[in-house]
Amino acid sequence: MHNFSSVLLTVSLLLLGCLAKGQQKKVISHQDYDLWRTIKNEKLSNSGDYLLYNAVPLDGDATLYLYKAKSGVLDSIFRAEKASFSSSEQYVALHLKPSKDSVNRLRRDQVKKDNLPKDTLLIWNLNTNAQVKIPNLKSYKLPQKKGDWLAFEQYKSKGDKKDTITSNKKLKKSKSKKKQQTQLFAFNPITNDSVSFQNIKEYSFSDEGNVLAMLLESKDSINSSHFVVFYPQSKKVDTVFKSNAKLEKLSVDSNGNQFAFISKADSTHQKKNNLFYFHIKNNKVISSTIDSIAKSELCKENMYVSDKFAPYFSENGNRLFFGTVPELPQKEKDTLLPEEKVSVDIWHWKDKDIQPRQLKNLKKDKERTYTAVYLTKAKKTIQLATPDISTLQKDLKKEDKYILAFNDDSYRYLMQWEGREFKDVYLIELESGKRQKVLTKISEKPLLSPKQKYISYFSPDDASWYAYDIAKKRNLNLTAGIKDISFAKEDHDMPIVAPAYGRAGWTKNDKSFVVFDRYDLWLLSPDKKQNPKRLTKGYGRSHSLQLRFVRTDKESYVIPTDKMLLRSFNEKTKANAFYNCDEQGNVNKLISGDYLFDNLVKAKDSDVVIYTRQSFQEFPDLWISDLSFENPIKVSNVNPQQKDFNWGTVELVEWESFGGIPLEGLFYKPENFDPNKKYPMLVYFYETYSQRLHKHHFPKPSYSTINFPSYLSNGYLIFVPDIKYTEGNPGKDAYNSIISGVEHLASTRSYIDREHLGIQGQSWGGYQTAYLVTQTNIFAAAEAGAPVSNMTSAYGGIRWKSGLSRQFQYEKTQSRIGGTLWEKPMHYIKNSPLFFADQVNTPLMIMHNDNDGAVPWYQGIELFMALKRLQKPTWLINYNNAPHNLRRLADRRDLTIRLQQFFDFYLKHAPAPEWLQNGIPAVRKGKDFGFKLIKDSKEEIEK
C-alpha cells in the first residue's frame, strides 16, 4: 500500500509538471510586436455619455471602440478612424479605411494613387445603432456646437454621369493626369435631406451649424471661382460672389454671420492679393474688400495681404485677423544654365543667426506674415505685428484689450552659447495698435492676467516670480520675502540658471497668481496687498508629494481655487494620485495606488472624466469615472494577449555612489525569475529614470534603445541607475553613479552573472556608454547610439535639425562642462572617449545615422575609426538618411534584431549573425542583411 501511494504520488507530480509545462508562458519574439496595440484619438462626448477611442497596431488596421457610459456597452468597428460626435450626440461620423494590406498590394503592383481604394464615410446612429455607408470619401466636417447636418467631399467615380451619395461603382483605370474630381454633399443623417455641389475647393461650417460656406472653382472655357452659402434650415443656396481670380483660405465666424477669404494674385487677373469680407444684414450678404492697410503712425507703407495666413474671426466676430507682408514676392526669370550658377553661403561673424540656422528657417522666413486686424464694427484696419516686432502671444480669438508681442533681435546671437532665448516684451492695444515696451531681456514666458491688469513672469536669475502692473507701469517681486523655499528647481544640476517649477495660472478677477514650489501650490498677490499664501498648507512637502494643478476646463484661463483638481507624484514610491483642494487649503485624496495616473480629460458639460492608469505590468488602458473617483470603470482592454507572455517585475533599489551620494535606480527581473540561476544583465540609463518606476513598457521595435519587456522575456535582467552630476565632470559622474550601482547589485545578488554584463545607451546615454568602456572592463558588450566621442570637435559642431550651434550644450546645459573650449580645454579632453580609445577592451556596437540632426554623425565615425585603427572589435550601424532616433518601421525592426543578436552573442553564448562576424560588403547592400546565424566563437570573431 505504501509503495502504491508512492507511485501514485510520483505520477501525480509528473502530471502536474506536464500541466505546468503546458501552461508555460511564451517568450516575446520579434514576430510578436504586431500583436500589441496603442490607444489613440480618445474623444469624450460633451455630455460624458459616450467615449470613442482607437486601438492601433504597430502595422495594420485600427479598430474604433464606442463606449456607452449609461449602459456599459462597448461596440467596435474594424478599420475605422477619424471619428467625431455630432454636436447633438445623435450620431458618430468616421472614416472607414480600406485594408492596409490590400492597399499595399496594389501599391506594389504600381497602381496609381487615384485608382487606389478610397475611404468610406460611415455614419453611426447612436440611438438606433443603424449605420449608413457612403463610398469614395475624401473628407467630412461637422459644426462644432449645434445642428445635425454634416458636409462631406466625395470623389467622383470615373464615368459617373450623375451625382449620388450611394454610388458603389469601382474606380476604373485612367491615363488622365488631371486631378481627380470631387463633389460636396450637405447631408442630414437624421432626416436624410441632402444637397450636392460641384467643383468644390474649400468648405466650412459655422460653429452654430446655421451656414455652410463654400469656395467653388470651375475650369471650363473660362476659369471662374464662386463663393456660395448654404443654409441648412431652409435649404437655401446663395451664390454670393463670382471672380476670375483664385479664391482660398475661407473663414466663417462662430455665428455664421460673417465670412472672409483671400482673392489670390496672379499675372492675369490681379497684381496683388485681396482680402474679401462679407457679413449678413437683413438676411442679405453684404461684401466689402480690404485691399490695402489703413495708414497710421504704426503702419508701414506698402504692406500687402498675404496668402500664407488663413484669416479668422474672434469669438464675438468683432475682429477679423489676417496676415500681411511688406512687399509682394517677385518671380525672377532664370536665364542661367546649370553650369553657370553659383551656390554659396557666406558665414559672417556679425550674423544674428548663423547660416545653418538661417537656412533651416529659410522657408519660414520667406513666408513670414505680420498679423493685422480688421475691426468689423468700426471698419478700421490695425497693423499689429511688424518686421521689428513680429511675434505675438496668446489666442487672438479672445476678446482682449491687449496682446503681448516679442522682439528678440538684440539677443538671438546669445543663443549660440547661452542655452536660453531672451526677448523684449511689448504690450499692443488691439483697438488702436499702440504699443509699449514693458519688459526687457526676459527668458521665461510671460502671461497676461485674464482681466489684463498684470503680466506675470519668472526670473531665473534671482529665482523669483514677478508681476508687472500695466496701469502703474511697475514691476513687483512677489516671492523675494519667502524664506527657505525655492521656486526654481532644487535638484537642477546644469551650469545654466535653474528654471521654475512652473505655474497654474491666474485666479478670478486677477486676484492672485498660482505657482508651484517643489511640492506645493502658492497664491501670489500681484499688488502685494496680501502676503504670499501656501495654498496647500505644506501638505505636499510634509508628505514628499509634488502637487500640480490639473486643468479640467480647457477653455478657461481662470484657476478655480474653490475646488482644484490636483495630480501628485510621490518622491518615495514614485506613484501618482489625484487630490482635490478647496479654498481653505484642505487637500483630500481621491484615488491612489502604485500606479501612474495620467491623461485626464473631463466632459465639457458634466463631471465625467476619463484617464489612464498604468504600471510596469499594466498597460495604460482607459478608465471612466466622475470627479469623485469613487467608482471608476475600466473601459478598454486593448492588449489581453499580454497575459500569455513571460513579462517581468520591477523594484526600486538604493545605494551610494563612489562619492557617497545616495542614489536610486530601477531593477527589472523576468516574470519566471529563478534566484538559483545565473542571469546576464543589461544596464541602460538616461540621467534620472527612477521616477518612471510605474511606467508601462510594451514590446515594440526599437527607435534606438533596448525594449525592456522583450529582453526580460528572453532571460535578461535590466538595471537602470540614476546619475547625479557635478559641473565639469559628466563622464566621471556617470562612472561614479552607474558602476557603483552595478557593483552594489552584483555583490548583493548572486544570480547576476558578473561575466555577462552589457550596457546600452542612446544620445547622451550613448556618449556615456562610449566613455564608460574607456574606464572599465566589467562589461562584456556595449552599444552606443549617436555618441559624442570627441567634445573638442563636437563643441564647434552644428545641431543640424535646428541649425543651432552646439556650444551652449557644453557650456550651459546637458554636457555640463561649464565653460568654453579655450577656458577649460582639459575638461573637454578628459570627458571625451576618443582620447582614451586605446583603453577600450569591450566589444562596441555604434549606431549613428547620417541624417542625425542632434549629434553630428562624424562623432560616431571618429570613435569607430579610432577603434578600427586599434583593432578593437567595433561595428558602426548607419541607417541611410535616418534621423537621431529611428522613425521608419523597417529600420526599427532591423535595429531591434541586430541589437538583440549582438547582446545574445556576447552575453548568452548564442550563435553569431553573419553581419557581426563578416560585415555586409557594399555590393551586397539591400540584398543580404546578414541575420543568418553562424557557429563561431567570440575569440574567432575578435581575431
Side-chain angles (χ1 to χ4, degrees), residues 310-321:
Y312 63 92
F313 291 92
S314 61
E315 289 181 350
N316 66 5
N318 291 338
R319 297 168 181 165
L320 170 63
F321 296 97

Side-chain angles (χ1 to χ4, degrees), residues 202-206 213 215 227 248-254 257-262 275-278 310-314 319-321 397:
E202 294 182 32
Y203 66 104
S204 182
F205 268 112
S206 65
L215 296 179
F227 169 47
E248 60 180 34
K249 305 287 193 301
L250 174 65
S251 177
V252 185
D253 78 343
S254 179
N257 293 324
Q258 300 177 100
F259 315 90
F261 54 81
I262 291 170
L275 176 65
F276 281 85
Y277 163 74
F278 297 80
Y312 63 92
F313 291 92
S314 61
R319 297 168 181 165
L320 170 63
F321 296 97
K397 288 187 177 182

Side-chain angles (χ1 to χ4, degrees), residues 59-72:
D59 186 23
D61 300 304
T63 300
L64 179 76
Y65 289 89
L66 170 66
Y67 178 73
K68 300 177 181 179
K70 290 183 177 179
S71 63

Side-chain angles (χ1 to χ4, degrees), residues 362-379:
L362 184 60
K363 185 176 185 294
K364 183 174 70 175
D365 288 341
K366 282 184 174 181
E367 297 181 356
R368 186 180 298 279
T369 60
Y370 304 95
T371 305
V373 61
Y374 176 67
L375 307 178
T376 58
K377 288 187 176 180
K379 297 182 180 180

